[in-house]
Amino acid sequence: MTIRLGYGTNGLTDLRLDDALGLLADLGYDGVGLTLDHMHLDPLAPDLAARTGQVASRLQDLGLGVTVETGARYVLDPRRKHGPSLLDPDPEARAARTRLLVRALDIAADLGAHAVHCFSGITPPDTTTGTAWQRLLGSLAPVLDAADRTGIPLAIEPEPGHLLADLAGFHHLRVLSGDPPPLGLTLDIGHCQCLEPAPPADCVRAAAPWLRHVQIEDMRRGIHEHLPFGDGEIDFPPVLEALDTLGATGYQGLTVVELPRHSHAGPELARTSMEFLRKHSPSSR
């Protein structure tokens, strides 16, 4: 299997980061989707440079690749999930999210990460769609500058219910922003099953030129709920075959298992997820 598999730390929040990385290496994962959060490399706590250096050394010792993810629920505001967003009506609040993403890119550079993941956020009440897109463009401009400076791609994720909800929304952003080279895509396979008109395997092929990060889990049509493999409706062999061919398009990133609501069973799900993906990979047939 040429797919480089990872597991998201947002599904291992009951473990210390050092223990989580050791677990994933022992299970045979190639890398980790590292969500910057208060329990795992807090981006806002003191001594960030020293802590980042320690994580970089641990990753190198274990032979793990890394993608930096920025979907922590309450890292900026303890009262608002994912708040403030890039679309917040308050310019200072939007700027706080922008600063976090710029910081994430600097952390990613120090870690040797493949990409930094982000998402647009939900359109606030009483905000027109046009205004929301303009806020997104303005908020992302310094982030894309930082991505260019660090050489780390920014991989924005279409998220159900957000302004940028699907692949069409990603391409709309590309056009609005002038298609800057640092702007790439995070493709979540479950989200494709949830709301894209095409099957997930077709989404992989269609998105290939812009892919910088992939997330994977099971899901059902029309229901945005991340599920362990086998609990949803996705036909995985065609998806894994499509992912297996991405190397020919230049994709060098990770395919990260994304189960953020299953930390209570994280170590066991990390094990069974690896078994499932190996069993259904093209090389096993």
Side-chain angles (χ1 to χ4, degrees):
M1 182 166 57
T2 62
I3 305 168
R4 299 178 65 244
L5 294 175
Y7 200 94
T9 59
N10 59 3
L12 296 168
T13 57
D14 292 317
L15 275 66
R16 298 178 184 88
L17 180 57
D18 191 69
D19 292 337
L21 297 178
L23 169 75
L24 298 181
D26 288 345
L27 289 172
Y29 282 94
D30 302 295
V32 59
L34 174 57
T35 295
L36 303 179
D37 207 346
H38 63 87
M39 80 295 288
H40 290 156
L41 194 55
D42 187 341
L44 303 180
D47 301 320
L48 177 61
R51 291 184 289 112
T52 301
Q54 292 170 357
V55 174
S57 295
R58 179 66 167 157
L59 290 167
Q60 184 174 18
D61 289 344
L62 294 171
L64 293 174
V66 60
T67 300
V68 171
E69 301 195 357
T70 61
R73 294 182 178 92
Y74 296 100
V75 68
L76 286 177
D77 189 330
R79 294 173 177 83
R80 288 193 295 163
K81 180 181 176 182
H82 299 314
S85 79
L86 297 170
L87 310 179
D88 199 284
D90 181 357
E92 287 302 316
R94 296 198 299 274
R97 177 63 62 175
T98 294
R99 287 193 296 271
L100 177 65
L101 294 179
V102 170
R103 180 169 295 191
L105 283 157
D106 288 328
I107 293 170
D110 290 339
L111 293 177
H114 301 287
V116 168
H117 147 278
C118 72
F119 44 62
S120 69
I122 297 169
T123 302
D126 303 319
T127 301
T128 67
T129 301
T131 296
W133 281 109
Q134 289 305 310
R135 287 178 186 167
L136 182 60
L137 285 174
S139 298
L140 284 179
V143 184
L144 290 168
D145 286 344
D148 189 52
R149 169 176 55 81
T150 59
I152 306 294
L154 182 70
I156 193 162
E157 177 188 7
E159 184 79 23
H162 283 211
L163 172 68
L164 199 162
D166 52 21
L167 288 172
F170 169 71
H171 291 299
H172 183 62
L173 175 64
R174 281 201 312 114
V175 172
L176 285 178
S177 59
D179 203 10
L183 179 62
L185 172 69
T186 292
L187 186 70
D188 188 298
I189 301 302
H191 294 174
C192 296
Q193 175 70 21
C194 180
L195 54 68
E196 294 287 350
D202 289 349
C203 291
V204 171
R205 287 185 282 269
W210 301 277
L211 274 186
R212 302 296 179 267
H213 184 43
V214 177
Q215 297 172 344
I216 192 167
E217 70 286 315
D218 216 338
M219 202 169 287
R220 300 186 183 98
R221 185 69 179 171
I223 303 173
H224 183 203
E225 181 182 5
H226 291 234
L227 299 172
F229 297 111
D231 288 0
E233 301 171 342
I234 297 177
D235 181 16
F236 278 99
V239 174
L240 294 173
E241 185 171 356
L243 289 171
D244 204 47
T245 65
L246 283 180
T249 70
Y251 179 71
Q252 301 296 318
L254 296 168
T255 295
V256 171
V257 178
E258 185 80 357
L259 293 171
R261 297 184 181 180
H262 292 78
S263 281
H264 62 283
E268 178 63 11
L269 279 172
R271 181 186 68 81
T272 57
S273 295
M274 174 61 80
E275 291 177 352
F276 180 96
L277 293 169
R278 283 176 170 166
K279 178 180 178 181
H280 292 87
S281 71
S283 60
S284 69
R285 301 198 296 276

